[in-house]
Amino acid sequence: MKDCIFCKIIKGEIPCHKIYEDDNFLAFLDIQPIAKGHTLIIPKKHYNTFEETPSDLLEKIMPVIQKIGIALKKSLAADGFNIGLNNGQAAGQLILHTHFHVIPRFNDDGLHTWPSVKCTEEEFKQITESIKAKIK
Ligand code: AMP
Ligand code: ZN
């Protein structure tokens, strides 16, 4: 994709701090890290969103994410890590090239978890049925 920053990184037109590469994927440090070691893992082939990314590629990316998460933990002496993906503008996706975030976490890092919303038993039931009906 011509104007995609991540495609430019893959082609070597924009520099990055590369930490891993194989035939299908590239992993590099996020330029505005939430925590030191915050890494992005991207498929080398351009797909705008997670939804559009073929499932066989997603199957292959999971072990890579796991490998990198473990390496981040060991190298930074982190206590855990978050795996994240923003799918769509509403979810905070700024760059339209599928990418997973792996963010090292520390027991005392002060990063808070997401807030929760109230949901009645009726809503839980209704939402469950409506999601189940849409699974293909
Ligand atoms: P998202 O909001 O999920 O689309 O995340 C995009 C991420 O890409 C952000 O965390 C940015 O800091 C990061 N980013 C943008 N440009 C670059 C770049 N040239 N090198 C590394 N990370 C980048
Ligand atoms: Zn791209």
Side-chain angles (χ1 to χ4, degrees):
M1 183 68 78
K2 204 166 145 281
D3 293 325
C4 171
I5 293 176
F6 287 175
C7 283
K8 286 183 179 167
I9 287 178
I10 289 159
K11 283 190 263 172
E13 293 170 9
I14 293 180
C16 74
H17 295 98
K18 188 196 321 187
I19 62 169
Y20 175 86
E21 182 174 19
D22 64 22
D23 289 347
N24 295 308
F25 308 111
L26 179 70
F28 52 95
L29 295 181
D30 194 296
I31 208 166
Q32 280 189 297
I34 291 172
K36 286 179 185 175
H38 179 170
T39 296
L40 300 176
I41 301 160
I42 67 175
K44 285 185 172 174
K45 209 164 161 205
H46 180 99
Y47 297 98
N48 284 333
T49 64
F50 180 73
E51 285 167 84
E52 293 169 22
T53 308
S55 53
D56 63 326
L57 203 58
L58 295 175
E59 267 176 40
K60 289 186 185 136
I61 205 170
M62 268 301 159
V64 175
I65 293 170
Q66 184 187 42
K67 207 180 337 220
I68 286 165
I70 292 168
L72 289 186
K73 235 185 119 175
K74 284 183 181 161
S75 63
L76 298 157
D79 299 307
F81 53 86
N82 288 113
I83 297 167
L85 180 140
N86 299 325
N87 184 73
Q89 227 174 7
Q93 184 176 7
L94 297 172
I95 297 191
L96 276 177
H97 180 130
T98 300
H99 54 281
F100 284 86
H101 297 254
V102 184
I103 302 160
R105 295 297 305 273
F106 299 86
N107 291 332
D108 59 354
D109 63 20
L111 293 173
H112 300 294
T113 52
W114 291 6
S116 61
V117 292
K118 282 213 163 33
C119 209
T120 64
E121 187 53 29
E122 199 46 49
E123 285 173 314
F124 275 122
K125 283 183 183 151
Q126 186 272 318
I127 293 164
T128 301
E129 292 313 315
S130 106
I131 295 171
K132 276 164 67 180
K134 294 290 181 200
I135 294 177
K136 288 186 186 157

